[in-house]
Amino acid sequence: MARSLRPSPTRKIPKMNIGQASKASGVSAKMIRYYEQTGLIARADRTASGYRDYSEADVHVLRFIRRARDLGFSVTDIAELLGLWRDDTRQSVEVKRLAQGHIEELKHKITALQDMTQTLTSLVEACQGDHRPHCPIIERLETDDVDEDLSLEPRRGAVASGSPGAANPRRQAAKQN
Amino acid sequence: MARSLRPSPTRKIPKMNIGQASKASGVSAKMIRYYEQTGLIARADRTASGYRDYSEADVHVLRFIRRARDLGFSVTDIAELLGLWRDDTRQSVEVKRLAQGHIEELKHKITALQDMTQTLTSLVEACQGDHRPHCPIIERLETDDVDEDLSLEPRRGAVASGSPGAANPRRQAAKQN
DNA sequence: TTGCGGCTTCCAACGATGGGAAGGTCAATA
DNA sequence: TATTGACCTTCCCATCGTTGGAAGCCGCAA
């Protein structure tokens, strides 16, 4: 209502529905709704018929989010990044700290994956890969030598592969129930 | 029942409950139950009172599984590996193929993570990290230059970061609903 | 006999994403 | 104008591996 005369400041703001916002931002419609639902982004305006209605500014936010996701930031991190983005009084050191933390996480993951790759590669190289059953890969998996106790202890050789928690949130020595 | 006289062949098979099997194998009790439930391992024997009862052989299987998980194999892959392990007539080429496929997956992931790390590192290096708001990291996330259209197209510089599907199952250009 | 710790099952959550059903809307065309 | 097809809405479910917790039974030791 009250949008008649004069090309008011709210004149030429072309809005769009979720599909167009999705195309324009590179974020799927599903994910846009999800981000709204979880509070990462504000509830969208609605048209009279209930369709979500996005402005260029909204799309700008969505693109920000997508780029952050592309860099591997978690949604939690992104919430923080958005806050910093909007905060005129932010200190760049805060952003830097966040990014550095993320880099550390990434490096842990990389190291873990590289360890796996290295082990697997040497096993694959040792495997004849023929019609016979003998296979060093299987052997490695079934053999109980060194391994044995690794349920406790800080470990022997594995560099960061087993860095507990962060990197590879898998197996951490049977805490049971 | 029928376990009296003579040190029968089934004489000294010390069995254990799930907590002990967990400690012995390095697989959490929770996960042991889960593996049983999903059919990765056979249903465990039960004591008169309903406790799961594991033999050394069972623990051997659990350790096999844990080692495979440690190498990053998916549960699906592990099911296949277990099948091959048990198959006297297996051809090592099958195991090798499985492992090689897994190595490829790992490499994709590593590449994606390395790309992220590299980008982030250069941004972090460019960031003063002081009390002032100016920050190249935020700038990079909010700026709509090159990026713009990357919703389609094979991309410009990014090496394997965006290898669709496998490596980084994230964002693939807004297919919406 | 009490009590603690371990076992049982069942249900839910995580994180980010996609799939799909059932029903309403929009815009173009017959 | 009526129909159609593409879009939107909400709601629920699945993924994958893992953990947490509740409610209730069991085993063993003091």
Side-chain angles (χ1 to χ4, degrees), chain A residues 22 60 66-67 69-70 85 90 92-93 96 127 130 132-133 141-142 144 147 170-171 174, chain B residues 22 60 63 66-67 69-70 85 90 92-93 96 127 130 132-133 141-142 144 147 170-171 174:
Chain A
S22 168
H60 198 46
R66 183 184 47 69
R67 289 188 203 102
R69 293 293 295 133
D70 286 351
W85 182 27
R90 70 163 170 266
S92 65
V93 65
K96 189 165 182 168
C127 176
D130 56 23
R132 288 169 300 180
L141 292 171
E142 80 182 335
D144 289 355
D147 192 275
R170 258 171 216 148
R171 77 158 251 60
Chain B
S22 168
H60 197 48
R63 275 198 283 251
R66 183 184 48 68
R67 289 190 203 102
R69 293 292 296 135
D70 285 351
W85 182 26
R90 71 166 168 263
S92 65
V93 66
K96 188 165 182 170
C127 176
D130 57 22
R132 288 170 299 180
L141 291 172
E142 79 182 336
D144 289 355
D147 192 275
R170 256 171 217 147
R171 79 159 247 57

Side-chain angles (χ1 to χ4, degrees), chain A residues 40-135:
Chain A
L40 181 66
I41 58 179
R43 263 170 306 187
D45 288 349
R46 298 289 182 135
T47 66
S49 61
Y51 281 21
R52 285 178 181 78
D53 202 20
Y54 297 93
S55 68
E56 275 301 330
D58 295 327
V59 169
H60 198 46
V61 171
L62 289 172
R63 275 197 282 250
F64 182 101
I65 292 172
R66 183 184 47 69
R67 289 188 203 102
R69 293 293 295 133
D70 286 351
L71 288 176
F73 283 103
S74 69
V75 169
T76 308
D77 284 346
I78 295 177
E80 224 176 313
L81 286 168
L82 283 171
L84 289 167
W85 182 27
R86 284 189 282 256
D87 179 6
D88 288 342
T89 74
R90 70 163 170 266
Q91 307 192 347
S92 65
V93 65
E94 295 182 81
V95 184
K96 189 165 182 168
R97 181 191 41 73
L98 201 77
Q100 279 171 327
H102 183 43
I103 289 174
E104 284 314 302
E105 277 180 40
L106 291 173
K107 285 188 176 169
H108 279 305
K109 285 187 197 170
I110 290 170
T111 306
L113 296 179
Q114 280 175 335
D115 286 353
M116 293 176 195
T117 306
Q118 202 180 336
T119 302
L120 276 168
T121 301
S122 67
L123 289 171
V124 160
E125 277 166 9
C127 176
Q128 294 289 322
D130 56 23
H131 60 96
R132 288 169 300 180
H134 170 73
C135 177

Side-chain angles (χ1 to χ4, degrees), chain A residues 6-49:
Chain A
R6 263 184 333 160
S8 72
T10 55
R11 187 178 49 92
K12 208 205 168 171
I13 328 182
K15 292 218 172 180
M16 63 193 102
N17 65 29
I18 200 171
Q20 296 166 314
S22 168
K23 257 169 218 147
S25 65
V27 179
S28 76
K30 280 276 189 195
M31 290 313 296
I32 296 176
R33 294 193 195 100
Y34 171 75
Y35 291 150
E36 175 181 326
Q37 190 200 308
T38 57
L40 181 66
I41 58 179
R43 263 170 306 187
D45 288 349
R46 298 289 182 135
T47 66
S49 61

